[in-house]
Amino acid sequence: MTPPEELLIETILPYLHFGCTLLLIGGGSVGLTSGRRTLFAVICAVAVATIYVAQPVLAQIGGDLGLSEADLGWIVTTGQLGYLIGLALLVPLGDMFDRRKLIAGHLLLAAVGMALAAVAAQAWLLLAGVALAGLFSVVVQTTVAFAADLSMAGERGRTLGAVTSGVVIGILGARLLAGGLAALWGWRSIYVVLAVLLLALSGCVLRLLPFDPRDGQTTYVAVLISLRRLFRERLFVSRGLITFFLFASFGTLWSGLALPLAAEPWHLNTAQIGLFGIAGLAGALGAFRAGQGADAGRANAITGGALALLAASWLATGQASWSLWPVVVGVIVLDFAVQAVHVSNQHLLTAAYSHRTSSVIGGYMIFYSFGSAVGATSTTAVYSAAGWAGSSLLGAAFALCALLAWAVNRHAAADTRRDALV
């Protein structure tokens, strides 16, 4: 480890200890306190950053490890594939075991993956570390399900909005952090910082979150069978299809945008590219507002309106090769729309399947993972063949497919809501 990285760790640790101490104040009660809600959001922010943090520094990683432009997308895709496996095999464990211990353990193992990536001298070791971190970054979904279960029914949407805001900050703030750290100390420093944060959060979880006892009667096989049955239910599948195309469009933008920004005529460096994440932080507002609207019974309408905005946003982001201001506007609109849809979907599903929230969130996020992986891989391939114009058309096509999936199945959510009221 280089001296600058040791200095980073020594600087970060006192602040982490102080933050955990603040959260501990008033954290002894049972339920969802403001301190615990904040901790849930921070866990999601840091854990999800492990998947997306490479995006603004792909060119730097490729130059260091000798990867071609066409192969760069696999760095992000490998993390997504590990994440996909974790969604199917690890998240359902939340319906069996104490989620407090699961969250702490998964954070610790994700930290190991980040440490491997930080010391990787060859591409295969980097990919192994990214895959391991991706596998255990599904702690985000275990955290979301735990937060939803600790919330009162009338506040579930607001809780999901607040926790999902942490996810938004993690996804987009990671790009800002990565760009700045890479410019100062190189791309490896990013993974060092994340490993330290994950390790510290694992300790905070054991100190601050309440026990989550289970009856011990549910078997792992039964949980997996229950998860499989979800894929036969219309509400679940329709929301999953929307999410697949939603995050394919999202991945198309954020896995590909660094390429035209680093090329002619802009030649932006990693720190400058990372600044575009600030515009995307508007998505946090989308998550919060969507949660409020979902509590008021407008989740399905919010989904349709936000998907229309998503498709329209590509008219602006498609201008990246000619003008940067339209790109800023497009990024704000796209991230706002994505998070509004994401929170609305999760609210509908956790309300409909309140007896197995971990399984339904894990299954739902399988669609998310597939969509993100498809977007990340396809955007770099399309860019190398047709430039940013081709990538923009691809992202818009994904958005329109999501809107079509909502239009065809828009009555499924309404029918489920009526059944719940009977």
Side-chain angles (χ1 to χ4, degrees):
M1 184 179 296
T2 62
E5 289 166 343
E6 292 179 355
L7 179 61
L8 274 174
I9 294 175
E10 292 174 359
T11 302
I12 291 170
L13 284 177
Y15 289 101
L16 289 175
H17 182 268
F18 178 67
C20 284
T21 301
L22 288 179
L23 289 173
L24 187 61
I25 298 174
S29 60
V30 176
L32 191 61
T33 64
S34 60
R36 286 170 180 163
R37 187 179 288 110
T38 300
L39 179 58
F40 281 137
V42 173
I43 290 169
C44 289
V46 176
V48 79
T50 64
I51 303 175
Y52 295 97
V53 77
Q55 290 178 344
V57 294
L58 286 176
Q60 191 178 107
I61 294 174
D64 189 19
L65 300 182
L67 296 173
S68 67
E69 186 178 81
D71 291 333
L72 292 179
W74 285 105
I75 297 174
V76 177
T77 302
T78 298
Q80 292 287 355
L81 291 176
Y83 186 70
L84 173 63
I85 295 171
L87 289 173
L89 300 181
L90 298 181
V91 176
L93 292 174
D95 288 334
M96 297 177 58
F97 302 114
D98 184 345
R99 283 172 289 192
R100 170 176 165 270
K101 294 180 180 179
L102 281 177
I103 292 170
H106 290 178
L107 287 170
L108 181 61
L109 290 168
V112 173
M114 288 290 94
L116 287 177
V119 301
Q122 295 177 320
W124 70 266
L125 185 57
L126 171 68
L127 294 177
V130 168
L132 181 64
L135 178 68
F136 290 101
S137 66
V138 295
V139 67
V140 172
Q141 274 55 64
T142 305
T143 300
V144 169
F146 196 12
D149 282 348
L150 288 176
S151 302
M152 297 180 63
E155 297 179 350
R156 183 180 289 118
R158 290 176 176 82
T159 296
L160 289 171
V163 175
T164 302
S165 294
V167 177
V168 180
I169 292 170
I171 293 174
L172 301 172
R175 297 184 178 94
L176 179 61
L177 176 67
L181 288 175
L184 290 173
W185 294 298
W187 63 269
R188 296 178 189 276
S189 64
I190 304 166
Y191 293 102
V192 171
V193 169
L194 284 175
V196 173
L197 290 172
L198 289 164
L199 184 62
L201 284 172
S202 179
C204 287
V205 164
L206 293 176
R207 293 180 65 191
L208 301 177
L209 295 186
F211 288 102
D212 183 39
R214 298 299 186 184
D215 58 20
Q217 298 179 358
T218 303
T219 66
Y220 186 55
V221 173
V223 169
L224 292 182
I225 291 174
S226 176
L227 175 61
R228 185 184 66 180
R229 288 172 179 165
L230 286 172
F231 287 85
R232 302 175 185 173
E233 301 190 19
R234 183 178 178 185
L235 175 66
F236 177 81
V237 173
S238 65
R239 292 288 144 172
L241 286 175
I242 291 170
T243 297
F244 171 84
F245 291 116
L246 177 76
F247 281 96
S249 185
F250 182 85
T252 297
L253 176 72
W254 286 112
S255 292
L257 185 60
L259 299 175
L261 295 180
E264 295 182 355
W266 311 118
H267 299 291
L268 301 184
N269 59 37
T270 56
Q272 292 169 327
I273 292 172
L275 289 174
F276 279 80
I278 295 177
L281 288 175
L285 178 60
F288 181 74
R289 289 294 185 184
Q292 291 181 319
D295 283 335
R298 299 192 299 271
N300 201 37
I302 289 171
T303 301
L307 289 173
L309 283 176
L310 175 68
S313 72
W314 281 100
L315 296 173
T317 50
Q319 309 301 314
S321 298
W322 299 278
S323 178
L324 294 182
W325 283 113
V327 177
V328 173
V329 174
V331 165
I332 291 173
V333 174
L334 180 140
D335 281 287
F336 184 96
V338 166
Q339 300 310 323
V341 174
H342 191 39
V343 171
S344 299
N345 281 347
Q346 290 181 100
H347 184 278
L348 286 169
L349 291 174
T350 55
Y353 305 99
S354 58
H355 57 296
R356 42 178 172 164
T357 54
S358 290
S359 293
V360 75
I361 290 294
Y364 163 79
M365 293 299 291
I366 290 175
F367 292 95
Y368 161 102
S369 185
F370 268 125
S372 296
V374 168
T377 304
S378 59
T379 189
T380 52
V382 171
Y383 180 84
S384 64
W388 185 242
S391 293
S392 298
L393 288 174
L394 177 68
F398 284 139
L400 290 173
C401 286
L403 184 60
L404 178 62
W406 171 82
V408 171
N409 297 283
R410 64 185 183 277
H411 297 301
D415 291 343
T416 301
R417 181 173 173 80
R418 282 196 296 269
D419 291 342
L421 294 174
V422 173

